[in-house]
Amino acid sequence: MVRAAVIAVIGAGDAPPGVLELALETGREIAARGAVLVCGGRGGVMEAAARGARERGGHTIGILPGYDKRSANPYIEFAIATGMGEARNAIVVGSADAVIALAGEGGTLAEIGFALKLKRPVVALGAWNEIAGLHRADTAAAAVTLALKLAGKPN
Amino acid sequence: MVRAAVIAVIGAGDAPPGVLELALETGREIAARGAVLVCGGRGGVMEAAARGARERGGHTIGILPGYDKRSANPYIEFAIATGMGEARNAIVVGSADAVIALAGEGGTLAEIGFALKLKRPVVALGAWNEIAGLHRADTAAAAVTLALKLAGKPN
Amino acid sequence: MVRAAVIAVIGAGDAPPGVLELALETGREIAARGAVLVCGGRGGVMEAAARGARERGGHTIGILPGYDKRSANPYIEFAIATGMGEARNAIVVGSADAVIALAGEGGTLAEIGFALKLKRPVVALGAWNEIAGLHRADTAAAAVTLALKLAGKPN
Amino acid sequence: MVRAAVIAVIGAGDAPPGVLELALETGREIAARGAVLVCGGRGGVMEAAARGARERGGHTIGILPGYDKRSANPYIEFAIATGMGEARNAIVVGSADAVIALAGEGGTLAEIGFALKLKRPVVALGAWNEIAGLHRADTAAAAVTLALKLAGKPN
């Protein structure tokens, strides 16, 4: 089977409206290109991106910190209950072909670090200018286009 | 969103033909009932069950031990790259609403132990008579019917 | 540096007095032979074994399920805060040269499964007669002697 | 039991001589204050810090990515074999009362992110000026003094 490209969207669990809007748009673009969304499965950026992807009929995977699948946000189609706490961040980026990073805090920073370590390309969208080694995009559409290209699966 | 029931199929990575046939049939039944298959993503029982589910158009999730998604068997639709080694077994059963256990060795035994600990119901199919606390079935169809019932999602 | 032998003691978090007495004695024997005790760091068998080891001046390591080191029992000298939940069981046995298994439930069964998978020798002490592939001992002293021998570090 | 303070030292596995010298000195200071060193257990900064701690008679814990304890550097007294790959970074910082961060790359960045998420104080030593939310020190001795103070265990 040829698997669809998988794009991780990472960012704050508690984010301001502008960031949530960007996450929603990113999710929509991911689904519109036929890619699969993976995220941490909870609220904020994770929920907005998953909602956007589902609105366009895309598949969404949520990598949860706990063992209770009901803790997933309502836009997660496939809930993976890791029980690993914050270390589940390594699975979010490890399962992606490329990563789109929105504004966030320590958990998002950990995911960026893991992505660099695992050589998953990271596209920073409106944030993380202080971190070296990331790609940059100004809009959700441009971020998804770049992420798919970097993943070796442009479409 | 109402999520579909998720059934884990666990068993040996290197299994004899009779066990593989049973895994294939179990995968087919899971998909035929509209449930999602989750497994360890590699060979043997995992591959046979995923193949059966895909033949019937079902969704398949593979929880891989490493970070390389190409290590998934060809019937895995969504590959989760955990990098956790054998501890990924806890995620296989944690992500399931019920577990069907075929013949296996240490890794399968660890999954049964985790399932008991996490209170995921386990249906033993043609194996594990020595372990207390498991449910029993004699055919793939009966195992899937019982697993869905125990998961609280009969159909 | 030549590292000391490390012996895992596994068993129920909520155990009857006879099992706790056996765990205490096992911990004492481990320390008396100059070996290090590793366990899951919580109550029951884990606490009794750690108490026994500390009484004899041995080192004790507790592999905790959460991120709060204060959840360790008072006899843990080095608390490892994994945040991994039940999957931390794989680290308990992975970090040991040999494993001594007392009576327990699902979590202990998962540890036995992992030990078999990772080829760590397991000595069953007063329990687990139904599981194949384990070594057997009748007393704490005999279990520790056998575990050290199987670990390739008799003393 | 009153447990000793535990300080994590994080940084590149492949580091230039000046960074290694700083790591060595940091390890020595940690042990001189009676604290325990925890690190990732491998080479570079991890090995230099562990060597420094052992030279002063301190305890050293290495949180390894794999299941093979022989992969620990020779200055690790207690090797924890996680099998978790890069996600073991979460355990390094989770097990520490405070973290000292030397120059590094993606793996170190992930550890800093986790530390911020888990509210473990981080002292940056000669690196990471671009990351907000860290404490700063200019010498190994000052970093250890500050780390112990932030850990609530000055001495």
Side-chain angles (χ1 to χ4, degrees), chain C residues 43-66:
Chain C
V45 162
M46 300 171 265
E47 179 165 342
R51 181 180 156 201
R54 293 301 289 165
E55 284 181 4
R56 292 289 188 275
H59 289 305
T60 56
I61 301 172
I63 310 289
L64 299 169

Side-chain angles (χ1 to χ4, degrees), chain A residues 17-104:
Chain A
V19 173
L20 294 178
E21 182 58 37
L22 206 51
L24 182 74
E25 195 55 40
T26 303
R28 285 173 180 153
E29 289 285 339
I30 287 170
R33 317 290 178 94
V36 174
L37 171 78
V38 65
C39 69
R42 304 298 293 272
V45 162
M46 299 170 266
E47 179 164 343
R51 181 181 154 201
R54 292 301 290 166
E55 283 181 6
R56 292 291 187 274
H59 289 305
T60 57
I61 301 172
I63 310 289
L64 298 169
Y67 288 122
D68 184 354
K69 297 201 290 177
R70 292 168 301 182
S71 70
N73 73 59
Y75 307 103
I76 295 300
E77 186 181 8
F78 302 109
I80 308 299
T82 70
M84 286 180 73
E86 299 307 326
R88 66 85 147 77
N89 290 7
I91 302 181
V92 172
V93 299
S95 299
D97 298 303
V99 177
I100 298 176
L102 281 77

Side-chain angles (χ1 to χ4, degrees), chain B:
Chain B
M1 175 176 12
V2 177
R3 283 183 207 100
V6 178
I7 306 294
V9 176
I10 62 176
D14 186 3
V19 173
L20 294 178
E21 181 58 37
L22 205 51
L24 182 75
E25 193 57 40
T26 303
R28 284 173 180 155
E29 289 286 339
I30 287 170
R33 316 290 179 94
V36 173
L37 171 78
V38 64
C39 68
R42 303 300 293 274
V45 162
M46 299 171 266
E47 180 165 341
R51 181 179 156 202
R54 292 301 290 165
E55 283 181 6
R56 292 290 187 276
H59 288 305
T60 57
I61 301 172
I63 310 289
L64 298 170
Y67 288 121
D68 184 353
K69 297 201 290 175
R70 293 169 300 183
S71 70
N73 73 58
Y75 307 102
I76 295 299
E77 185 180 10
F78 303 109
I80 307 299
T82 70
M84 286 180 72
E86 298 308 325
R88 66 86 146 79
N89 290 7
I91 302 181
V92 172
V93 300
S95 299
D97 298 304
V99 177
I100 298 177
L102 282 75
E105 301 185 324
T108 309
L109 188 62
E111 285 166 320
I112 291 172
F114 273 127
L116 294 173
K117 180 78 180 180
L118 297 174
K119 303 199 186 304
R120 302 304 195 256
V122 179
V123 179
L125 177 52
W128 304 109
N129 289 318
E130 72 275 25
I131 307 288
L134 310 187
H135 302 267
R136 314 278 168 192
D138 290 325
T139 67
V144 174
T145 298
L146 181 53
L148 288 169
K149 183 181 169 192
L150 291 166
K153 301 186 177 184
N155 58 346

